């Protein structure tokens, strides 16, 4: 997934999707199942990008 082209709202939606999918996978397949781990890794990437975007927005000073 290319997170560089996603808006903040798109990231929030993707985070919600992957979080829900990871929880469902963890419950049904187990926390160490490859699908659950893959979801967790994707979620980590999205959360890191989201945090970076939020920090970048807070450091922009209005004219």
């Amino acid at each position: 997934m290319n997170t560089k082209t996603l808006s903040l709202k798109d990231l929030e939606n993707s985070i919600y999707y992957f979080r829900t999918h990871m929880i469902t996978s963890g419950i049904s397949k187990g926390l160490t199942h490859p699908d659950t781990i893959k979801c967790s890794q994707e979620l980590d990437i999205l959360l890191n990008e989201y945090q970076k975007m939020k920090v970048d927005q807070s450091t922009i000073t209005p004219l």
Side-chain angles (χ1 to χ4, degrees), residues 43-56:
L43 182 58
D44 286 344
I45 291 167
L46 291 169
L47 288 169
N48 288 336
E49 187 60 29
Y50 181 82
Q51 184 176 11
K52 182 181 179 306
M53 285 179 77
K54 292 294 274 187
V55 167
D56 289 348

Side-chain angles (χ1 to χ4, degrees), residues 18 21-22 31 34-47:
F18 277 98
H21 187 70
M22 181 186 68
L31 298 178
D35 290 343
T36 307
I37 292 171
K38 181 68 176 163
C39 253
S40 176
Q41 291 169 339
E42 289 289 334
L43 182 58
D44 286 344
I45 291 167
L46 291 169
L47 288 169

Side-chain angles (χ1 to χ4, degrees), residues 11-30:
L11 274 173
E12 289 170 351
N13 291 335
S14 294
I15 287 167
Y16 177 80
Y17 169 79
F18 277 98
R19 181 179 289 135
T20 303
H21 187 70
M22 181 186 68
I23 291 168
T24 303
S25 178
I27 290 169
S28 64
K29 299 176 183 178

